[in-house]
Amino acid sequence: MLEVLREPMESGEIVISRAAQQTTFPASFQLVAAMNPCPCGYAGHPQIACQCTEQQVQRYRQKISGPLLDRFDLHIEVPAIGLRELQMQGATDTTEQVRTRVEQARGAAVERSGAANQYLSGGALEQFCALEEADRLMLEQALQKLGMSARAYHRVLRVARTIADLSGVEKISSAHLLESLSFRALDRRRMTQVIGSGVTSN
Ligand SMILES: [Zn+2]
């Protein structure tokens, strides 16, 4: 069922075909999804032991297909936090501060290319996400190692563009690329599984 999201996530439209008729509806949305690390929910927990077998964990994670995963810009692992940490009031940015930063970054992107970074593709992507030769090589090697698709490659570039915009920097640097790559946690995990199970990736 989740797989039907693939098309609208990519195109921002939903096409419904019934008999001789076909209608297209706008479907530009931001999807935020969460899943447990394993069926019991405790894999990687600092205190509670996970009860699942390796195979159960693998089967559970494989419910999300590679092509669907590819369409998410950011994958982030959120470790369990203790009650103490939850109660600790750290020096964090307020919502207003974050909003200002996001609006500035988005404004810079629209001013540069006429649209938010998520809409960059083809020639515009090449132009506005231009990389130094050494950075391009580094990214290509990282992608090969992670077994990432061309689609994921473009997402890494767009996210790096946004990270640079959030720092108010015009040129994408290797630090922006590395940070962008760090948001592909599930690609890394999938790759470890592929290597671990001795199955060749295609
Ligand atoms: Zn478990």
Side-chain angles (χ1 to χ4, degrees):
M1 214 33 214
L2 279 172
E3 295 298 313
V4 298
L5 284 170
R6 274 162 53 179
E7 188 53 35
M9 279 172 87
E10 197 66 13
S11 65
E13 290 177 335
I14 290 180
V15 180
I16 297 186
S17 303
R18 290 278 180 282
Q21 286 203 343
Q22 186 170 307
T23 314
T24 305
F25 296 97
S28 177
F29 57 94
Q30 186 166 47
L31 178 63
V32 180
M35 72 186 285
N36 280 324
C38 66
C40 85
Y42 290 110
H45 194 282
Q47 274 101 39
I48 305 168
C50 165
Q51 306 292 324
C52 314
T53 66
E54 187 119 333
Q55 275 161 334
Q56 281 174 322
V57 175
Q58 245 186 59
R59 215 176 308 130
Y60 178 77
R61 290 179 184 172
Q62 278 165 358
K63 281 188 198 167
I64 309 295
S65 75
L68 181 60
L69 206 52
D70 265 356
R71 285 164 170 82
F72 283 90
D73 287 323
L74 312 170
H75 317 157
I76 301 163
E77 286 185 59
V78 187
I81 60 166
L83 196 58
R84 274 254 299 286
E85 294 157 274
L86 196 66
Q87 287 165 339
M88 266 190 342
Q89 296 284 336
T92 55
D93 290 345
T94 64
T95 305
E96 284 71 29
Q97 285 169 320
V98 175
R99 174 204 280 266
T100 305
R101 209 159 59 223
V102 169
E103 281 176 348
Q104 279 169 353
R106 196 183 160 89
V110 172
E111 201 171 305
R112 181 190 308 114
S113 66
N117 294 333
Q118 73 178 103
Y119 300 111
L120 290 177
S121 66
L125 188 72
E126 292 288 320
Q127 186 187 341
F128 299 116
C129 301
L131 300 178
E132 291 286 341
E133 190 52 28
D135 291 340
R136 180 176 296 284
L137 278 175
M138 184 271 288
L139 181 58
E140 278 173 13
Q141 280 169 0
L143 289 167
Q144 237 170 14
K145 262 193 200 149
L146 294 169
M148 278 163 67
S149 67
R151 180 176 289 115
Y153 172 82
H154 291 149
R155 287 190 186 274
V156 169
L157 267 184
R158 289 186 202 111
V159 170
R161 175 68 272 165
T162 296
I163 293 168
D165 286 341
L166 282 167
S167 329
V169 178
E170 188 48 41
K171 199 158 173 38
I172 298 176
S173 73
S174 55
H176 303 135
L177 284 175
L178 287 172
E179 187 175 344
S180 179
L181 278 167
S182 76
F183 291 122
R184 305 297 307 182
L186 289 168
D187 287 334
R188 288 201 300 276
R189 184 180 277 161
R190 194 164 40 158
M191 207 51 202
T192 323
Q193 281 173 2
V194 170
I195 294 164
S197 59
V199 181
T200 39
S201 170
N202 47 16

